[in-house]
Amino acid sequence: MLATSRAPLGLTSEAVYALPELGLDISVELFTQRARAARPGVELPPDAVAGLCRHLDGLPLAVELAAARVQVLSVPEIARRLGDRFALLRGGVQVCRSVTARCTRSWSGAGTCLRRTPGRRCARCPCSPAVSAVKRRSGSSARMRCCFLSSWPVSRCSPSPRLRPGCGSGCWRPYGVQRGPAGGGGRDEEAVGRFLAWARDFGVAYHDALFGSDAQAAWERIKAEQDNLVLALRHALARTDNPAIAAVTAVLASLWSTGTSFPRLAALAADTGPPLSHYRPEPEYVEVARTAAVLGTATVFMGPGPRAVRQLVTLRRLPPAPPDTLMRATAIVLSAVPEIRPPGYDVLRRLCEGEGEGGSAQPLLSGIAECVACYVWEFEHDIDRALVSARRAVAGLAAVDNPSVQLMVHSRLSELCLRTARGEEAYEHLQAALKVLPRLGDGQDYISIRSLLVLACLQRGETDEAEDWLRQAESDNTPQEDDFYRPDLGGRAEIALARGLTEVGLGLWRGAVERMLAAGSLRGGDSGSTRGRS
């Protein structure tokens, strides 16, 4: 027997199938059908319809009621009026209370709970919270939490069950804010406090998780909370909650450095550098603050250059710790940057030797120091010495089971090999880098390993293989932030030159140079940022 109901029947032999929200394509199709039935010939701009349906959270009732409004309103006008969607999606034909968007919430247990504490608190979050977080942070009675959680749809596509559409910009959120009782400022402040407590706990748990062996699982977990963490940072900055600022900064910087989102990293460093430079962390937040300072310092170095004064002050003021983790080892090397000076670079050489107290070897310290050294020697125009340091970094950090580290050292060495026409060696290390991509975040080739393989194959005289790698690079769905970074990196021009098509190759190179110059002018000539990202 098949029965439909808003609640389970409660039978022991019952198998419950919870209907999910409609997908965007189906929502658009439903809206289109109902709108044309209500007003034949109505104008339905595709982008406007898609945007409207996206804000209706895949709720069939809301889509149908909105479509019925095309009798008197255009689609853009309907979309503009969604700010008060509970006034918009009611009235018209006489219908029972179960077919209006307001009543389906108001008379239900969900509506009651949304008007009270847990609904109002979660309605102020930017995206779907984890069910466990609502239970932990709502501060409400078990009865109220049960009512609230059982009435909200749950998505299980993320690492932990999450309320859906929950805290998004959809139908539930404005209802929770609109129906909350007046004078709830104190309770709202309490909700923000609990939200920041969650963010601090999350930061302590995940501040360096992306630099461990199970980076992909951690990346998915952090990515799922990204919007909540961004909002938490805003609240933390507004309250000068330095533990929360440090915790969220560490996690977001880890996430965005994995995806090479340098504009976000630069903005994060600029926003959090001043408050963190005055922060003396409590013992439980020392390592969180260290991770935030390390990633902030590295971000500024990769962008405008050696101007990370605030971040270095923060880093150098933290209690010393042995270089037994990647973050601690990197902190020691970065803290020594002001003392890494020509002509002898004595401090850098001692770090590269990696000798700790009593002459004990410190492989993490020496490996990270060699990574820095290969850039220093390149700056000194000593490419051969830079190659030696890059090879030592690969060997010294080989035992570190972290995809970010392996990608960094292999791609850096391959870059230097390509500059010195060592195609075979470059090819070997690019293949090693390519193997770790699936373990890194979403597996995207953000730094164009396949494009570099094109150049390596050309140096090896393998033109056909070079073209194959170029096709793979061009078909890759890696998001590009602007036109400066294109997958060919001059590869197509070099393939044409390798095949004797000189005029074609030179023409392609002219176009590539013009594109890069145009993109550089749009960037304001920020060559430092370009250098860091390459």
Side-chain angles (χ1 to χ4, degrees):
M1 178 181 295
L2 175 66
T4 60
S5 174
R6 285 183 294 270
L9 301 178
L11 304 176
T12 57
S13 59
E14 181 180 17
V16 178
Y17 177 77
L19 293 177
E21 68 271 13
L22 299 179
L24 181 59
D25 292 344
I26 298 176
S27 296
V28 169
E29 182 180 355
L30 175 62
F31 182 92
T32 302
Q33 290 178 356
R34 295 297 186 266
R36 286 180 175 154
R39 181 181 163 196
V42 63
E43 202 172 313
L44 300 174
D47 291 343
V49 171
L52 189 153
C53 291
R54 190 176 293 109
H55 283 284
L56 293 176
D57 301 323
L59 298 175
L61 172 62
V63 173
E64 293 200 33
L65 291 173
R69 290 300 180 186
V70 299
Q71 293 178 339
V72 292
L73 298 171
S74 68
V75 172
E77 287 171 337
I78 295 172
R80 282 195 296 272
R81 291 171 182 243
L82 283 181
D84 187 13
R85 68 198 69 192
F86 300 107
L88 175 69
L89 305 182
R90 66 178 180 184
V93 295
Q94 296 299 313
V95 291
C96 72
R97 65 181 183 176
S98 63
V99 292
T100 66
R102 176 184 291 271
C103 291
T104 53
R105 289 156 178 79
S106 295
W107 64 262
S108 68
T112 302
C113 293
L114 274 167
R115 293 194 297 272
R116 298 181 185 176
T117 299
R120 290 176 56 249
R121 287 176 179 172
C122 284
R124 299 182 185 277
C125 300
C127 68
S128 313
V131 173
S132 59
V134 175
K135 289 180 178 178
R136 186 170 64 253
R137 300 298 176 203
S138 67
S140 306
S141 67
R143 179 179 177 277
M144 186 68 71
R145 291 199 304 265
C146 179
C147 160
F148 178 61
L149 294 175
S150 63
S151 60
W152 231 341
V154 175
S155 168
R156 292 177 174 81
C157 59
S158 56
S160 59
R162 305 175 68 81
L163 301 177
R164 173 72 185 166
C167 306
S169 58
C171 291
W172 289 100
R173 180 173 183 260
Y175 184 81
V177 174
Q178 171 190 345
R179 299 298 293 174
R187 291 184 177 180
D188 287 347
E189 285 299 305
E190 180 187 357
V192 172
R194 290 177 178 272
F195 182 42
L196 290 179
W198 165 83
R200 290 192 293 272
D201 291 347
F202 191 88
V204 169
Y206 288 95
H207 69 96
D208 62 350
L210 293 182
F211 303 99
S213 58
D214 195 10
Q216 187 170 14
W219 189 90
E220 291 172 354
R221 182 74 178 89
I222 296 169
K223 183 72 171 178
E225 300 293 354
Q226 176 179 233
D227 290 344
N228 282 329
L229 291 167
V230 170
L231 181 63
L233 181 61
R234 293 174 188 160
H235 285 307
L237 288 168
R239 289 187 169 198
T240 319
D241 186 334
N242 288 326
I245 293 173
V248 176
T249 299
V251 176
L252 288 178
S254 299
L255 178 69
W256 293 340
S257 62
T258 302
T260 61
S261 183
F262 284 96
R264 281 181 166 183
L265 282 169
L268 182 67
D271 290 342
T272 61
L276 291 181
S277 66
H278 300 286
Y279 177 41
R280 266 70 173 177
E282 301 80 0
E284 63 266 34
Y285 296 113
V286 168
E287 294 308 317
V288 168
R290 197 186 314 276
T291 299
V294 164
L295 296 174
T297 303
T299 296
V300 179
F301 280 165
M302 287 189 296
R307 305 174 191 171
V309 177
R310 290 186 186 275
Q311 288 77 9
L312 270 176
V313 167
T314 304
L315 193 59
R316 289 163 67 97
R317 192 176 57 234
L318 293 173
D324 52 3
T325 69
L326 282 169
M327 284 296 103
R328 287 179 170 184
T330 307
I332 292 173
V333 175
L334 291 179
S335 295
V337 164
E339 284 76 46
I340 297 177
R341 299 173 180 173
Y345 293 102
D346 295 333
V347 171
L348 181 58
R349 285 191 293 102
R350 286 196 297 270
L351 289 170
C352 289
E353 291 170 1
E355 289 190 5
E357 295 182 3
S360 60
Q362 303 285 1
L364 281 179
L365 182 62
S366 61
I368 297 297
E370 292 287 8
C371 289
V372 173
C374 75
Y375 286 98
V376 171
W377 309 143
E378 182 184 22
F379 178 78
E380 294 284 356
H381 306 290
D382 192 344
I383 298 298
D384 290 336
R385 195 174 182 183
L387 273 166
V388 170
S389 286
R391 291 181 184 124
R392 287 177 177 171
V394 169
L397 297 174
V400 178
D401 185 23
N402 178 263
S404 295
V405 172
Q406 296 306 314
L407 183 66
M408 174 184 68
V409 295
H410 284 289
S411 61
R412 172 58 177 158
L413 179 51
S414 66
E415 175 191 351
L416 292 172
C417 289
L418 287 173
R419 288 189 56 188
T420 54
R422 291 174 168 86
E424 288 291 347
E425 187 177 357
Y427 184 85
E428 173 188 343
H429 291 285
L430 288 169
Q431 289 284 2
L434 197 61
K435 288 179 181 177
V436 305
L437 282 181
R439 296 180 54 207
L440 186 67
D442 56 5
Q444 294 282 6
D445 185 6
Y446 288 98
I447 62 173
S448 301
I449 297 298
R450 293 179 179 86
S451 298
L452 294 175
L453 278 164
V454 174
L455 303 181
C457 287
L458 287 172
Q459 290 187 6
R460 298 166 65 232
E462 300 289 346
T463 308
D464 291 341
E465 186 180 354
E467 194 160 29
D468 183 57
W469 283 116
L470 180 58
R471 280 193 295 267
Q472 292 187 43
E474 291 175 334
S475 63
D476 192 13
N477 292 323
T478 303
Q480 298 293 328
E481 292 175 5
D482 54 46
D483 199 46
F484 193 98
Y485 296 93
R486 292 273 296 276
D488 57 30
L489 291 176
R492 193 163 294 285
E494 286 297 309
I495 289 173
L497 292 172
R499 288 182 168 155
L501 303 174
T502 306
E503 290 299 322
V504 174
L506 292 176
L508 290 169
W509 262 124
R510 291 188 191 99
V513 171
E514 290 171 1
R515 184 184 71 240
M516 293 172 72
L517 290 174
S521 64
L522 291 175
R523 289 172 156 272
D526 188 2
S527 60
S529 174
T530 300
R531 207 167 39 244
R533 291 178 60 187
S534 64

